[in-house]
Amino acid sequence: ASKDAQILAAAKKHPKPVDRVFQYGTAGFRMKADLLDSVVFRVGLLAELRSRKLKNTIGVMITASHNPPADNGVKLVDPMGEMLEEAWEAHATKLANARDEDVVKVYREIEAKENVSQSTKANVIYGRDTRPSGPKLVAALVDALEAVGSTSTDYKLLTTPQLHYLTRCTNTIGTPLEYGDVSERGYYEKLAKAFIKAMDGKKPVGGLTVDCANGVGAPKLAEFLAVMQSAVTLVNEEEKQAKDEPKTYASPELQVKIINDDIINAAVLNHDCGADFVKTKQRAPPSSTAGNNDRCCSYDGDADRIVYYFNDPEQGFRLLDGDRIATLAASFIGDLAREAGFGKELKIGVVQTAYANGASTKYVEKTLGLPVVCTKTGVKHLHHAATKFDVGVYFEANGHGTVVFSQQALDTFKKALADKESLKSPAQKSALTTLVGLTEVINQTVGDALSDMLLVEIILAHKRWTPKEWDLTYTDLPNRLVRVEVANRGIFVADATERRLIEPQEAQTQIDALVSKYSEGRSFARASGTEDAVRVYAEASTRSEADDLAAKVAAVVK
Ligand code: NG1
Ligand code: ZN
């Protein structure tokens, strides 16, 4: 049969639910899993087009992250491990909403509009989280890939950042931009070896409890820890082979206790645990038995988000969220760069959103003396802004983020380390070693809970800090985030900073009047990009004022 006939026949096996409108948003398509069959099928078609267009491998991830177990979702990963380019989000939306009999027509329209190469063959790689709906959705994806004749690889269970890693590796293997081995094992080894080098003999202060949200992060973290056991030998052998003065690295003795690792009982995924629970409820998962001052962290359901926390005997629960990780990383990398001999020519910056705590922004600008850029919500915006720096640290307050290094910065670090003449002191060499180790620990493609966790562990170990010292670097302004259900969130139009409403004007005027009554008050309302609601954020100098301000602004938009 012709390709068109094959697509049509396959599309009919994955009928679109009538009366449904789908939209490719900041997190791809995400909803109740039983509505997604046709959507995933059509994402498969689009992945094939995108792969032929870019003459590179495209990734597809099936996950609904921190959402409840009955949900699922699908998103596309571009060749270097970035999120799908925005212009193609519209194509995804159009294809997902086409009537079954129009799928071929829309597919051909996109192909023509984008001048997709006819002579290239597509290649798509894919993975999924632990949701029970995953395998059936994968089958829909495979039907699409087979109908259009794309080659593909099924990586089965993966964290979202692993799929991003594998996509980048596939497209760079054997080139000067090579990113790592194209395998899960390669991912663990790369992280483990870099972690050992960056730790450089330092030991963490005490153990770490990791809450894996009963998601895919649990088995993957366990696999990583197993690889770590043998990685010290690997690193030391490589040193012996490559260097005339080989260094002997010690085991970093990372003591991890994994909790919430049940991936068999689907009902418990993200339930009363995980990064989203901890961040929104501002408390530890009830299942945690960690003691006072014990270092804890939580991943989300697909392990691309992480928050830290501990219980302070005097103050109670203390959250160390994405803002904290960003400030910790920026401060440490800034110090290392100075010790390594780099001056102002190395541009280090921090990227945040309107949801970042005002105290963290002030700390970065005033105490660390680094620039802060504020973008719209959604990691693709932050990531993009971060690439404008040599070292761009970006995090959303909810714990999604990473650090990106420019190719030039990477080359400069490596060259400096290799150039023995210019190394003035052992301290400079040690700073450079740690810096290079960090660039390899940090996932350059997307926020990654496992990699971010290692980054934090390296920094705390170097500083010999417990979470208490980390918490003391600055004091968060008390804040409150509320979700307001409104009749039509479409009427709320924010400006580019998302800190103010352009429409309705009247609402913004009222918000301004309210904010002016609070000391250190800041508040804004914006329509969520992922849920049918308006989010209201408020901060002020005391807990009760922040709560009060949030409630009053919520009443304005209600
Ligand atoms: P929306 O629903 O647009 O606020 C939420 C998060 C984002 C981001 C996306 C994607 C907040 C306030 N918003 O966006 O940070 O993570 O989901 O998952 O946390
Ligand atoms: Zn996630």
Side-chain angles (χ1 to χ4, degrees), residues 505-516:
Q505 273 182 24
E506 176 57 20
Q508 188 56 52
T509 312
Q510 287 178 40
I511 296 171
D512 288 341
L514 287 167
V515 169
S516 69

Side-chain angles (χ1 to χ4, degrees), residues 27 66 355 377 396 398 481 526 528-531 535:
H66 58 276
Y355 294 99
T377 301
E396 292 192 308
N398 64 24
L481 181 61
R526 78 168 252 286
S528 160
T530 61
E531 289 172 48
R535 295 193 203 285

Side-chain angles (χ1 to χ4, degrees), residues 26-27 30 65-67 75 276 279-280 304-305 353 355 377-379 382 396-398 400 481 489 498 526-531 533 535 537:
T26 17
R30 198 182 286 184
S65 187
H66 58 276
N67 284 35
K75 51 189 170 191
D276 199 61
K279 170 78 182 163
T280 47
D304 61 355
R305 267 162 71 170
T353 72
Y355 294 99
T377 301
V379 269
L382 288 102
E396 292 192 308
N398 64 24
H400 192 151
L481 181 61
R489 73 176 153 141
E498 294 188 336
R526 78 168 252 286
S528 160
T530 61
E531 289 172 48
R535 295 193 203 285
Y537 177 86

